[in-house]
Amino acid sequence: MVEKTKYYSDFEAKKLICEIGKRVYNKNFVAANDGNISVKVGPNTIWTTPTGVSKGFMTPDMMVKMDLSGKILAGKLKPSSEVKMHLRVYKENPEVNAVVHAHPPVATSYAIAGISLEKPISPEAVVLLGRVPVAKYATPGTEEVPDSIAPYCKDHNAVLLANHGALTWGRDIIEAYYRMESLEHYALMSMYSTNIINKANELSCSQVSDLIEIRTKMGIHSGGVPPCEEQPNQTDTSKEQLIEEVVRKVTAEILKKLK
Ligand SMILES: [Zn+2]
């Protein structure tokens, strides 16, 4: 039996967007009027944040209702031009029910540097967030922006937007928002360990595969597998030592015969 998707009601969606907007603003994930949030309320309809308003000071009456083609269905304000990214995520991945866009400073610095966040340094990041690629730079407000993120919408949970910010999505608004929190936290740990402490012990392939198993059991099938390295085991070392010993003995034998 196919499970029917349960959508938020209009009332719940507008209230939740305001609540998450406050968190995004208070966590310093956006400055001034930056960022946008959207929530699906039907297979073809969403509520989203208006343009030109701080995400920390929104009220439910400011929200805009749209269909997935971009047609405005309700609301007195205009949606952000960046809503095109949200619409594209919903079109590419029907399992997504909420999208959050922000400019969290550390993750955005990685986006500015063009460095993807994918090193397996934290179990939580592997399980809840997965690999975070960098989508190529696109001029804000143009169709290039949704096109740049389209390849990542199905297999990932988050993407960095080159020289711009970050985009996360999820099966509900809390999951989408938590992924934004996890992303900034992961970026911060990555920066401290790589650039300040200058040492990061990465998880091995077997540790990573254990985490992927946990993630699958949690019903999460996206996020990709972080690149990992097999840790050399005892058997390989002793094999190498044995070969070295044989070569040494044979060389000594040959040299003795040559004398
Ligand atoms: Zn932005």
Side-chain angles (χ1 to χ4, degrees), residues 30 34-36 80 82 85 101-103 140 161 164-166:
V30 289
D34 299 340
N36 27 76
S80 156
E82 288 180 329
M85 288 189 290
H101 166 56
H103 304 164
L161 310 163
H164 178 179

Side-chain angles (χ1 to χ4, degrees), residues 232-248:
N233 59 36
Q234 205 51 47
T235 341
D236 286 342
T237 319
S238 39
K239 213 189 279 169
E240 268 168 37
Q241 279 170 348
L242 189 69
I243 293 168
E244 226 170 83
E245 181 68 7
V246 171
V247 171
R248 199 180 57 78

Side-chain angles (χ1 to χ4, degrees), residues 20 47 63 80 87 91 103 107 114-115 124 132 139 144-145 148 164 197 204 214 238-239 242 246 252:
I20 295 301
W47 280 98
M63 299 306 143
S80 156
L87 298 172
K91 271 184 232 163
H103 304 164
I115 302 172
E124 286 78 11
V132 185
T139 311
E144 285 171 29
V145 183
S148 74
H164 178 179
I197 301 172
S204 70
I214 294 171
S238 39
K239 213 189 279 169
L242 189 69
V246 171

Side-chain angles (χ1 to χ4, degrees), residues 103-118:
H103 304 164
V106 184
T108 303
S109 301
Y110 275 88
I112 292 168
I115 302 172
S116 52
L117 284 160
E118 54 182 20

Side-chain angles (χ1 to χ4, degrees), residues 7-257:
Y7 295 106
Y8 294 108
S9 69
D10 289 341
F11 176 81
E12 280 172 326
K14 290 191 276 181
K15 205 169 143 254
L16 277 165
I17 292 175
C18 294
E19 175 62 34
I20 295 301
K22 278 192 197 114
R23 287 168 195 253
V24 165
Y25 183 75
N26 292 341
K27 287 282 246 175
N28 194 32
F29 292 170
V30 289
N33 298 337
D34 299 340
N36 27 76
I37 303 162
S38 68
V39 160
K40 222 167 160 186
V41 285
N44 194 38
T45 42
I46 61 162
W47 280 98
T48 187
T49 46
T51 189
V53 172
S54 167
K55 303 302 147 321
F57 299 89
M58 296 186 299
T59 48
D61 60 307
M62 292 176 177
M63 299 306 143
V64 188
K65 193 176 194 177
M66 302 177 85
D67 70 15
L68 294 192
S69 74
K71 196 175 139 207
I72 296 170
L73 306 172
K76 51 183 194 292
L77 298 176
K78 273 169 75 183
S80 156
S81 62
E82 288 180 329
V83 77
K84 287 178 189 151
M85 288 189 290
H86 298 237
L87 298 172
R88 190 60 172 267
V89 178
Y90 294 121
K91 271 184 232 163
E92 297 287 335
N93 189 344
E95 282 180 17
V96 174
N97 288 314
V99 178
V100 175
H101 166 56
H103 304 164
V106 184
T108 303
S109 301
Y110 275 88
I112 292 168
I115 302 172
S116 52
L117 284 160
E118 54 182 20
K119 280 188 189 166
I121 52 166
S122 138
E124 286 78 11
V126 174
V127 173
L128 303 172
L129 189 64
R131 297 173 72 155
V132 185
V134 185
K136 67 174 193 306
Y137 179 76
T139 311
T142 67
E143 268 312 311
E144 285 171 29
V145 183
D147 286 348
S148 74
I149 58 144
Y152 310 107
C153 299
K154 262 216 133 67
D155 301 328
H156 292 78
N157 304 313
V159 67
L160 294 174
L161 310 163
N163 298 80
H164 178 179
L167 189 72
T168 58
W169 50 88
R171 293 165 293 184
D172 57 52
I173 193 168
I174 304 297
E175 189 174 61
Y177 169 69
Y178 278 172
R179 283 176 174 160
M180 187 60 78
E181 264 194 5
S182 298
L183 172 61
E184 181 63 353
H185 201 71
Y186 174 35
L188 190 66
M189 288 190 292
S190 184
M191 184 184 72
Y192 281 146
S193 56
T194 312
N195 306 95
I196 294 175
I197 301 172
N198 292 322
K199 188 174 191 298
N201 293 326
E202 291 180 22
L203 302 175
S204 70
C205 289
S206 71
Q207 288 167 329
V208 167
S209 80
D210 288 348
L211 294 169
I212 302 295
E213 212 181 301
I214 294 171
R215 188 172 80 180
T216 310
K217 278 185 192 152
M218 288 168 76
I220 306 170
H221 304 286
S222 50
V225 179
C228 55
E229 274 178 36
E230 275 305 345
Q231 275 171 3
N233 59 36
Q234 205 51 47
T235 341
D236 286 342
T237 319
S238 39
K239 213 189 279 169
E240 268 168 37
Q241 279 170 348
L242 189 69
I243 293 168
E244 226 170 83
E245 181 68 7
V246 171
V247 171
R248 199 180 57 78
K249 276 188 181 162
V250 171
T251 316
E253 208 57 41
I254 293 170
L255 286 174
K256 214 194 281 172
K257 284 195 176 142

